[in-house]
């Protein structure tokens, strides 16, 4: 569910490098749209699971703490990396790593859902989730490489991005299968929400920087809308 589909998306890197500036801006905007949809989906799931958390743990408050703290922490890390790295290429790689981290935290929640389904004996549901998330994660692999298409990242860095984006699904599946916990599920989903929206913020800054050279508002609009529609249609096919 996690590693292989994400790498299938990353394998498109050589072909996508041939795209022009407008096409790359569109792909970046589509990545932002994809992540916005994932973030909304994740926070809705968090609120649904929060209803199963004992009242003393205050599930809604836990969502707020996890999401806000993660957003601010990743923003601080991003600003520090930007300050340490003078080259534009390194800044692009830092954003790609952030996207991989956000997707990885989201995939942690997906793994929890799969593991929990198997834990309660819902084998058909678990298999259904596996197939659906495989399709979704291929598009997420494309999103990870979008910021670095103009650069030449090493194979090792691309492999690391794929691992960061996909491997948490494995950990999530183990936790969901062997130690199902609504409290952990809410916390992980909240962390994933904060990470995803921080990454959207970082992509927005990259797009804004490109817009100072060549404004492309309709390209950005159509890209964001396309990214959201892709996951919406994927969801229709899955559900």
């Amino acid at each position: 569910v996690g590693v292989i589909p994400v790498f299938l998306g990353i394998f498109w890197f050589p072909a996508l490098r041939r795209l022009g500036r407008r096409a790359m801006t569109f792909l970046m905007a589509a990545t932002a749209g994809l992540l916005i949809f994932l973030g909304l989906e994740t926070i809705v799931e968090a609120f649904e699971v929060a209803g199963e958390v004992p009242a003393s743990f205050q599930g809604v408050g836990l969502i707020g703490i996890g999401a806000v703290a993660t957003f601010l922490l990743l923003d601080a890390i991003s600003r520090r990396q930007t300050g340490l790295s003078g080259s534009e290429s390194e800044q692009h790689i830092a954003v790609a790593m952030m996207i991989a981290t956000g997707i990885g935290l989201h995939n942690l929640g997906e793994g929890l859902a799969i593991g929990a389904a198997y834990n309660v004996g819902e084998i058909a549901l678990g298999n259904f989730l596996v197939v659906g998330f495989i399709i979704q994660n291929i598009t997420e692999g494309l999103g990870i490489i979008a910021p670095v298409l103009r650069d030449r990242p090493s194979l090792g860095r691309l492999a690391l991005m794929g691992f960061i984006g996909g491997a948490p699904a494995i950990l999530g599946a183990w936790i969901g299968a062997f130690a199902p916990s609504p409290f952990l599920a809410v916390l992980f989903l909240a962390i994933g929400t904060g990470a995803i929206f921080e990454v959207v913020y970082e992509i927005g800054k990259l797009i804004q920087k490109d817009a100072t050279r060549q404004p492309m508002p309709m390209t950005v609009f159509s890209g964001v809308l396309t990214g959201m529609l892709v996951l919406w249609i994927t969801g229709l096919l899955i559900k």
Side-chain angles (χ1 to χ4, degrees):
V1 166
V3 178
I4 293 175
V6 170
F7 275 121
L8 286 175
I10 289 175
F11 284 158
W12 283 89
F13 182 81
L16 294 177
R17 276 184 57 83
R18 301 172 187 172
L19 299 176
R21 179 175 290 277
R22 185 175 294 276
M24 286 188 177
T25 299
F26 176 85
L27 188 59
M28 287 284 291
T31 299
L34 181 149
L35 290 170
I36 290 169
F37 193 95
L38 281 180
L40 294 173
E41 186 180 69
T42 305
I43 199 166
V44 168
E45 289 177 16
F47 277 108
E48 288 177 356
V49 180
E52 303 173 17
V53 175
S56 58
F57 286 113
Q58 304 174 69
V60 174
L62 185 63
I63 293 171
I65 292 170
V68 173
T70 304
F71 183 99
L72 294 176
L73 177 62
L74 290 180
D75 184 56
I77 293 170
S78 173
R79 290 175 187 274
R80 185 171 181 275
Q81 286 179 332
T82 301
L84 292 174
S85 172
S87 70
E88 190 173 346
S89 174
E90 286 297 320
Q91 291 177 21
H92 290 168
I93 289 173
V95 172
M97 285 291 188
M98 285 290 187
I99 293 175
T101 301
I103 287 174
L105 290 171
H106 174 80
N107 283 342
L108 183 67
E110 290 183 349
L112 282 170
I114 293 168
Y118 287 132
N119 179 271
V120 297
E122 294 285 350
I123 306 301
L125 173 61
N127 292 341
F128 193 58
L129 290 173
V130 167
V131 173
F133 291 148
I134 283 173
I135 297 169
Q136 188 182 74
N137 283 349
I138 291 174
T139 63
E140 291 172 4
L142 289 169
I144 290 172
I145 59 174
V148 294
L149 289 177
R150 300 191 190 109
D151 309 307
R152 293 186 178 277
S154 65
L155 286 175
R157 274 184 165 168
L158 288 173
L160 179 61
M161 290 176 199
F163 188 78
I164 291 172
I170 302 170
L171 177 63
W174 284 342
I175 295 171
F178 297 118
S181 164
F183 177 86
L184 284 179
V186 170
L187 181 60
F188 289 160
L189 288 168
I191 290 171
T193 299
I196 287 169
F197 281 114
E198 201 285 328
V199 171
V200 172
Y201 174 63
E202 294 295 329
I203 293 174
K205 289 195 293 186
L206 273 184
I207 293 174
Q208 185 64 32
K209 186 183 293 185
D210 281 350
T212 59
R213 304 170 189 168
Q214 184 183 358
M216 292 181 278
M218 291 308 297
T219 302
V220 174
F221 166 76
S222 57
V224 170
L225 188 61
T226 299
M228 297 185 76
L229 284 173
V230 164
L231 282 193
W232 182 69
I233 292 169
T234 303
L236 287 178
L237 296 174
I238 294 170
K239 296 171 183 178

